[in-house]
Amino acid sequence: MLEIKNVSTSYGHVEALRGVSMAAHPGEIVSLIGANGAGKTTLLNTISGMTPARSGQILLNGVEITRLSPEKIVNLGVCQVPERRQVFATLSVRDNLTLGAYTRMRGRGEPPIKDRKTLHLDIETIYAMFPILKQREKQLAGTLSGGEQQMLAIGRSLMGRPKVLLLDEPSLGLAPLIVRDIFEIINCLREIDTIILLVEQNARAALRVADRGYVLETGRIVMAGPAADLAADPAIQQAYLGKQGR
Ligand SMILES: Nc1ncnc2c1ncn2[C@@H]1O[C@H](COP(=O)(O)OP(=O)(O)O)[C@@H](O)[C@H]1O
Ligand SMILES: [Mg+2]
C-alpha cells in the first residue's frame, strides 16, 4: 500500500503541494486529476524522490520512503513514466525494454537477469500486451509515433516489475483513437497487482478507467472518492468534464 500523509513540497518560496494525503492499494487504479499547474507532476516527483517533500510522510507497505534518494526509491519498486514519455531515442525498442529490467537486476536482491530466457519471456509478455512493439522491435525508439513511444515507456517500466507505477499524463498530445488504446492498456494493468497512480488532465478518461480518484487544485486535494461518484458530481462535471451543471 502507498500512503501519502500530509505532504507539502515547495520550489523555493512557491508551495506546490499543501498537506496532500492519499492512499492507493495493489490492483487499484487511482487517478489524480487537476488543471495545468495544480501540482500533479510535483506529487509524482515527490513520491519518486526527485523533488523531496518539505514535510509529511510517504510510506510504501509501511516503510517510510520520504527522504530516500530517487535511486533507493526506484530500487524499492517505485517506477515513474514521466510526462512526454522519455524513451532512449537512439536505442532499439528491444534494447529499451531490456534496460527496463535493469533496476530489478541490481535493486531488490533478486538474481540478476543473467538468465536470458527470463528476460526473453518478460519481453514477450510486454509484446503480448503491445503487439505493435514486437513489429517495431528492431526500430530505433526515436522513430516511433507518439502513441508507440508511450506504449514503449509503459512497457519499459513494467520490465522492472514495479510495485508502484506512476503514470504522468500518458494521453498528453496523442490522437483520440490512440488515447483510447492507451487507456485500454492501463485498464488491463489492474491485473498485475501493482499500485497504479494515474495523473491526467484528461479527467473524463482518467475517471473512467480508475477505481478511485482525487482532485487536486493549487496543491490541495479538494475532493476524493470512488471514480464513478466523482464523474457524476456536478461540480466536477462543470470544472473538468466540460458539462454544464444542472
Ligand atoms: N522546477 C520548478 N521550479 C519552480 N516552480 C515549479 C517547478 N516545477 C513546477 N513548478 C510550479 O509548481 C506548480 C505545480 O506544477 P506541476 O506539478 O508541474 O503541475 P501539473 O503537473 O499539475 O501541471 C506550478 O505552479 C508550477 O509553476
Ligand atoms: Mg504535469
Side-chain angles (χ1 to χ4, degrees):
M1 169 182 195
L2 178 70
E3 293 166 277
I4 296 159
K5 295 181 176 175
N6 204 20
V7 160
S8 296
T9 302
S10 307
Y11 299 101
H13 295 299
V14 180
E15 203 173 35
L17 296 180
R18 306 160 197 234
V20 169
S21 294
M22 58 192 292
H25 300 88
E28 185 181 46
I29 300 178
V30 173
S31 284
L32 179 72
I33 62 173
N36 192 20
K40 303 182 299 298
T41 297
T42 303
L43 179 61
L44 297 191
N45 288 342
T46 298
I47 296 168
S48 63
M50 305 290 285
T51 310
R54 189 170 48 72
S55 60
Q57 280 187 310
I58 302 172
L59 297 107
L60 177 57
N61 298 328
V63 175
E64 180 157 11
I65 61 168
T66 327
R67 278 163 244 299
L68 299 182
S69 68
E71 192 185 2
K72 286 218 174 94
I73 293 173
V74 167
N75 288 344
L76 288 171
V78 177
C79 192
Q80 187 171 1
V81 181
E83 211 172 309
R84 295 177 208 293
R85 44 211 166 253
Q86 289 151 21
V87 295
F88 299 106
T90 58
L91 296 180
S92 72
V93 165
R94 191 178 181 94
D95 287 348
N96 267 273
L97 291 175
T98 302
L99 277 175
Y102 186 69
T103 52
R104 172 164 115 232
M105 288 193 235
R106 36 165 213 178
R108 281 177 262 160
E110 285 179 32
I113 312 177
K114 284 190 192 117
D115 181 358
R116 294 178 65 90
K117 197 171 158 199
T118 307
L119 185 60
H120 180 75
L121 285 175
D122 280 8
I123 291 180
E124 287 302 320
T125 306
I126 303 297
Y127 287 161
M129 224 180 254
F130 308 96
I132 190 76
L133 294 183
K134 188 173 175 85
Q135 287 175 38
R136 306 252 187 271
E137 153 171 84
K138 296 200 174 68
Q139 216 168 300
L140 297 186
T143 67
L144 300 178
S145 71
E148 290 162 358
Q149 288 191 21
Q150 184 63 64
M151 291 177 199
L152 180 57
I154 294 173
R156 191 181 61 192
S157 300
L158 293 176
M159 287 292 292
R161 296 190 191 163
K163 292 198 176 79
V164 179
L165 188 62
L166 307 173
L167 296 169
D168 197 352
E169 308 248 15
S171 77
L172 193 71
L174 301 179
L177 275 179
I178 312 294
V179 170
R180 204 189 56 190
D181 288 350
I182 295 283
F183 277 101
E184 244 166 54
I185 288 160
I186 293 171
N187 193 29
C188 294
L189 296 182
R190 206 188 304 276
E191 284 155 33
I192 62 173
D193 223 28
T194 296
I195 297 165
I196 298 173
L197 188 52
L198 169 67
V199 154
E200 269 291 345
Q201 277 187 65
N202 186 342
R204 187 183 301 277
L207 290 178
R208 200 177 290 141
V209 78
D211 300 289
R212 292 189 302 115
Y214 291 85
V215 182
L216 193 65
E217 272 177 27
T218 53
R220 286 183 209 278
I221 302 283
V222 294
M223 218 183 265
D229 292 0
L230 291 181
D233 186 284
I236 302 271
Q237 291 187 348
Q238 193 158 16
Y240 296 103
L241 305 177
K243 284 187 194 169
Q244 296 301 315
R246 272 181 246 168

